[in-house]
């Protein structure tokens, strides 16, 4: 039996009629018998095209307010029968079941209804029963049946039946079946997640994915699954790479810590801040952030918490950077930044980030709540005789926000609303501190009067000893070591102010 089949009959039952008219007209032109229900049936009739109501086949009306329309053996028999199976062929004749070659479905918009904040009653009514059953039946029997399971596939179907004069190949039908099972599994996943309260069960289905040029390295394949366009408007530049996306993610998480602060600018490299400053204007903040580490800033990701103006854009344009992100730009600022052909320019939208973070681990996944605690003045507990000044408290909070978003082990030095230096991703906290001191010296920064943040407690007084020698006058850390008193005693003996937050900020 030939694997190429010509469509002679079609069942159409859809929620969205957008793009349906040309399909219906083309099918009618090709003498295809059309079957339909409810609103879709009225839509086809209004086009002046003949359509057979489903109840004419089933001899049974729609019932329960339209909840039951197509759920009938004469409908599903017409879809599921195997045309090369003699028993199926005989039963089709015996029970007078019409052949259905094409099924077009578009499900009730369950996810959109949930997102709209509708009542539970409205949400429940948007759980499609007949449609999802038609999709599964058509997809299961793809050897004989064409299934179109979403308005997203209307154009593909129209293209196929137009170019192939109503005929489809086995490859065409298998492709559409694959898309149909994607629709049904995604739909069921969304329904489950609406009802689920068991945090030990995890289901995720992301419909929109894109192929990246490559992964972390050119020999690795890379993909992004998510709605990038919801988060950003890309106004210029090349396609974002896997590494670009990781840096953009880190940049967004970091700048969110300063969302309600004054003009703040951050420069990131390999997911860590290499420059960050808060100033009266965004141009001043940018120049101060750049001065933190102009070497690392080369090829980095830049992000601002407020509009980028012309003055700032002119300064940025002197630097080679991969990505620039801001909530808005002066029109002329965009023109200036576009002078570099490949520079990616993003406008960041107000979008709520996921409440959970997911990463692969061994042969499974690790899932955790997002770290939503940002240290504030209210969290601080002074544990030393010397209390931090108002200015030091501001710098301690500033340094803590950066520390939270830097790879552990980490130490961050800050002074006057500026990142002076940091030690990142070290295997010991002492190494992180030494790295931060050396880096500050390399760029000519004076650490006298600077504040220090640590992402975790000090088990020994060695870190505060080194900090004191470097000129640090105030320290912020979570506390919680059984040997906290060793560090506290050293600070008391050497006039260092130290505050505990009670919250550790590891970032692995």
């Amino acid at each position: 039996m030939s694997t190429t089949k010509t469509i002679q009959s079609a069942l159409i039952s859809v929620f969205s009629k957008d793009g349906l008219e040309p399909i219906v007209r083309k099918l009618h032109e090709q003498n295809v018998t059309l079957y339909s229900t409810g609103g879709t049936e009225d839509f086809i009739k209004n086009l002046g095209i003949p359509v057979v109501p489903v109840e004419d086949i089933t001899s049974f009306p729609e019932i329960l307010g339209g909840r039951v329309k197509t759920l009938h053996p004469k409908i599903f028999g017409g879809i599921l029968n195997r045309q090369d199976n003699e028993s199926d062929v005989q039963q089709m004749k015996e029970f007078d079941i019409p052949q259905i070659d094409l099924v077009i479905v578009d499900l009730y918009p369950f996810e959109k209804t949930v997102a709209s904040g509708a009542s539970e009653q409205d949400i429940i009514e948007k759980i499609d029963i007949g449609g999802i059953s038609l999709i599964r039946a058509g997809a299961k029997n793809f050897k004989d049946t064409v299934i179109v399971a979403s308005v997203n596939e209307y154009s593909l179907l129209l293209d196929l039946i137009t170019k192939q004069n109503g005929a489809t190949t086995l490859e065409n039908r298998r492709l559409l079946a694959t898309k149909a099972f994607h629709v049904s599994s995604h739909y069921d996943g969304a329904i489950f997640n609406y009802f689920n309260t068991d945090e030990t069960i995890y289901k995720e289905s992301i419909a929109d994915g894109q192929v990246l040029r490559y992964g972390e390295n050119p020999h690795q394949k890379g993909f992004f699954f998510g709605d990038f366009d919801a988060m950003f408007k890309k106004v210029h530049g090349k396609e974002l790479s896997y590494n670009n996306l990781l840096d953009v993610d880190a940049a967004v998480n970091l700048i969110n810590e300063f969302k309600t602060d004054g003009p703040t600018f951050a420069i990131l490299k390999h997911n860590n801040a290499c420059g960050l400053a808060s100033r009266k204007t965004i141009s001043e903040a940018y120049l101060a952030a750049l001065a933190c580490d102009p070497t690392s800033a080369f090829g980095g990701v830049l992000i601002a918490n407020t509009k980028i103006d012309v003055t700032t854009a002119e300064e940025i344009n002197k630097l080679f950077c991969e990505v620039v992100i801001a909530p808005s730009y002066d029109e002329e600022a965009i023109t200036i930044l576009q002078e570099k052909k490949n520079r990616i320019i993003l406008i960041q939208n107000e979008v709520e980030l996921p409440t959970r973070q997911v990463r692969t681990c061994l042969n499974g996944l690790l899932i955790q709540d997002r770290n939503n605690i940002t240290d504030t003045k209210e969290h601080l507990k002074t544990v030393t005789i010397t209390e931090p000044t108002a200015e030091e408290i501001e710098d301690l909070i500033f340094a803590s926000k950066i520390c939270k978003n830097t790879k552990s082990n980490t130490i961050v030095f800050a002074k006057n609303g500026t990142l002076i230096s940091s030690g990142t991703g070290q295997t010991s906290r002492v190494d992180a501190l030494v790295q931060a001191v050396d880096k500050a010296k390399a760029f000519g920064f004076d650490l006298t009067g600077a504040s220090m943040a640590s992402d975790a407690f000090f088990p020994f007084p060695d870190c505060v000893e080194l900090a004191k020698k470097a000129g640090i006058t105030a320290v912020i850390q979570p506390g919680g070591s059984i040997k906290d008193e060793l560090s506290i005693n050293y600070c008391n003996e050497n006039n260092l102010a130290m505050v505990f937050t009670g919250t550790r900020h590891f970032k692995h």
Side-chain angles (χ1 to χ4, degrees):
M1 182 177 290
S2 172
T3 60
T4 298
K5 295 183 179 293
T6 300
I7 297 169
Q8 297 180 322
S9 59
L11 170 62
I12 308 175
S13 181
V14 301
F15 179 83
S16 176
K17 281 74 174 180
D18 294 341
L20 184 62
E21 180 178 346
I23 293 174
V24 172
R25 292 195 183 281
K26 178 58 68 175
L27 291 173
H28 176 59
E29 179 186 311
Q30 294 172 345
N31 297 314
V32 175
T33 301
L34 303 179
Y35 303 103
S36 193
T37 63
T40 310
E41 179 187 338
D42 292 338
F43 175 83
I44 296 171
K45 284 179 179 177
N46 289 336
L47 295 177
I49 293 173
V51 57
V52 179
V54 162
E55 53 261 39
D56 285 4
I57 302 173
T58 63
S59 300
F60 208 97
E62 293 182 14
I63 61 171
L64 308 181
R67 280 188 164 196
V68 180
K69 303 174 186 176
T70 56
L71 297 169
H72 193 281
K74 281 200 170 184
I75 299 300
F76 282 84
I79 297 169
L80 284 163
N81 73 92
R82 295 157 292 187
Q83 295 178 20
D84 60 352
N85 182 293
E86 186 58 35
S87 176
D88 286 6
V89 172
Q90 289 302 317
Q91 287 189 327
M92 292 285 284
K93 292 178 180 178
E94 179 183 353
F95 296 108
D96 192 26
I97 299 173
Q99 178 69 44
I100 298 175
D101 302 314
L102 166 65
V103 178
I104 305 176
V105 176
D106 184 65
L107 298 170
Y108 294 152
F110 179 83
E111 288 180 280
K112 287 184 179 178
T113 305
V114 172
S116 73
S119 67
E120 179 157 280
Q121 181 179 349
D122 289 340
I123 290 170
I124 297 304
E125 288 307 313
K126 288 299 185 290
I127 298 177
D128 208 310
I129 303 301
I132 204 79
S133 301
L134 291 171
I135 288 172
R136 292 178 66 83
K140 176 176 181 175
N141 200 35
F142 70 89
K143 288 186 177 180
D144 294 312
T145 307
V146 181
I147 175 65
V148 173
S150 166
V151 64
N152 297 328
E153 312 310 331
Y154 286 3
S155 60
L156 173 59
L157 174 65
L158 181 61
D159 186 60
L160 284 176
I161 61 177
T162 300
K163 290 180 177 178
Q164 298 171 188
N165 196 30
T168 61
T169 66
L170 181 60
E171 290 74 20
N172 297 153
R173 297 191 296 277
R174 188 182 187 95
L175 171 63
L176 286 165
T178 302
K179 291 177 178 291
F181 282 126
H182 167 63
V183 169
S184 64
S185 62
H186 181 82
Y187 196 78
D188 284 340
I191 295 170
F192 169 79
N193 285 330
Y194 172 74
F195 284 99
N196 182 44
T197 57
D198 186 346
E199 292 186 344
T200 66
I201 301 175
Y202 176 77
K203 293 184 186 295
E204 186 68 56
S205 174
I206 302 176
D208 302 313
Q210 66 183 86
V211 179
L212 303 174
R213 293 198 302 275
Y214 50 80
E216 205 160 10
N217 298 290
H219 62 276
Q220 296 169 272
K221 290 182 179 179
F223 307 88
F224 173 69
F225 293 91
D227 190 354
F228 186 84
D229 292 339
M231 284 207 65
F232 302 100
K233 179 182 178 182
K234 181 168 171 281
V235 295
H236 183 71
K238 63 183 179 181
E239 292 302 311
L240 281 87
S241 69
Y242 182 98
N243 292 332
N244 287 155
L245 289 167
L246 286 175
D247 282 331
V248 168
D249 177 68
V252 167
N253 288 322
L254 176 58
I255 209 67
N256 278 349
E257 305 286 346
F258 300 89
K259 194 172 183 179
T260 59
D261 293 7
T264 301
F265 208 106
I267 304 173
L268 291 90
K269 196 73 171 290
H270 303 303
N271 305 167
N272 292 316
C274 59
L276 196 150
S278 295
R279 292 291 188 273
K280 291 182 179 180
T281 68
I282 199 63
S283 60
E284 291 174 332
Y286 168 70
L287 290 173
L290 179 62
C292 295
D293 184 351
T295 302
S296 295
F298 183 86
V301 170
L302 282 57
I303 189 165
N305 71 345
T306 190
K307 178 188 284 188
I308 290 180
D309 55 24
V310 171
T311 302
T312 310
E314 288 173 341
E315 291 295 337
I316 292 172
N317 211 31
K318 299 174 184 177
L319 174 74
F320 168 72
C321 59
E322 292 274 353
V323 185
V324 181
I325 310 167
S328 61
Y329 302 77
D330 284 342
E331 189 171 336
E332 189 179 345
I334 291 179
T335 302
I336 292 167
L337 293 172
Q338 286 176 331
E339 290 177 7
K340 299 294 191 292
K341 179 182 177 182
N342 290 326
R343 179 183 286 147
I344 299 163
I345 305 172
L346 302 176
I347 298 174
Q348 184 179 349
N349 300 323
E350 281 282 346
V351 175
E352 188 173 339
L353 294 172
T355 58
R356 287 186 168 187
Q357 295 173 313
V358 182
R359 65 194 296 182
T360 58
C361 181
L362 302 175
N363 61 349
L365 301 174
L366 280 174
I367 301 175
Q368 67 171 355
D369 294 336
R370 180 177 290 278
N371 183 357
N372 285 325
I373 295 178
T374 297
D375 296 330
T376 65
K377 294 178 184 178
E378 290 69 33
H379 294 135
L380 306 186
K381 177 185 177 183
T382 301
V383 294
T384 52
I385 296 170
T386 301
E387 294 195 8
T389 66
E391 291 78 12
E392 285 173 335
I393 288 175
E394 293 296 327
D395 281 339
L396 289 171
I397 296 298
F398 180 91
S400 173
K401 291 177 179 180
I402 302 171
C403 197
K404 170 187 169 183
N405 290 275
T406 305
K407 188 172 178 61
S408 300
N409 283 323
T410 185
I411 291 289
V412 171
F413 295 148
K415 187 176 180 181
N416 299 328
T418 306
L419 169 63
I420 301 300
S421 65
S422 60
T424 65
Q426 300 303 302
T427 51
S428 86
R429 200 159 304 282
V430 171
D431 286 347
L433 199 155
V434 170
Q435 182 190 58
V437 172
D438 290 345
K439 192 167 185 179
K441 289 179 179 178
F443 287 102
F445 288 109
D446 181 6
L447 289 173
T448 303
S451 295
M452 179 176 84
S454 172
D455 59 334
F457 61 63
F458 302 133
F460 304 102
D462 45 9
C463 282
V464 287
E465 290 176 19
L466 290 169
K468 171 64 178 178
K469 291 176 183 177
I472 300 299
T473 56
V475 178
I476 184 171
Q477 57 132 319
S481 170
I482 59 173
K483 296 182 179 180
D484 275 341
E485 288 301 319
L486 296 177
S487 294
I488 294 172
N489 290 340
Y490 179 87
C491 290
N492 285 335
E493 292 165 5
N494 292 274
N495 299 316
L496 273 172
M498 185 160 66
V499 298
F500 284 1
T501 64
T503 302
R504 189 181 74 183
H505 289 298
F506 271 161
K507 186 174 183 287
H508 289 92

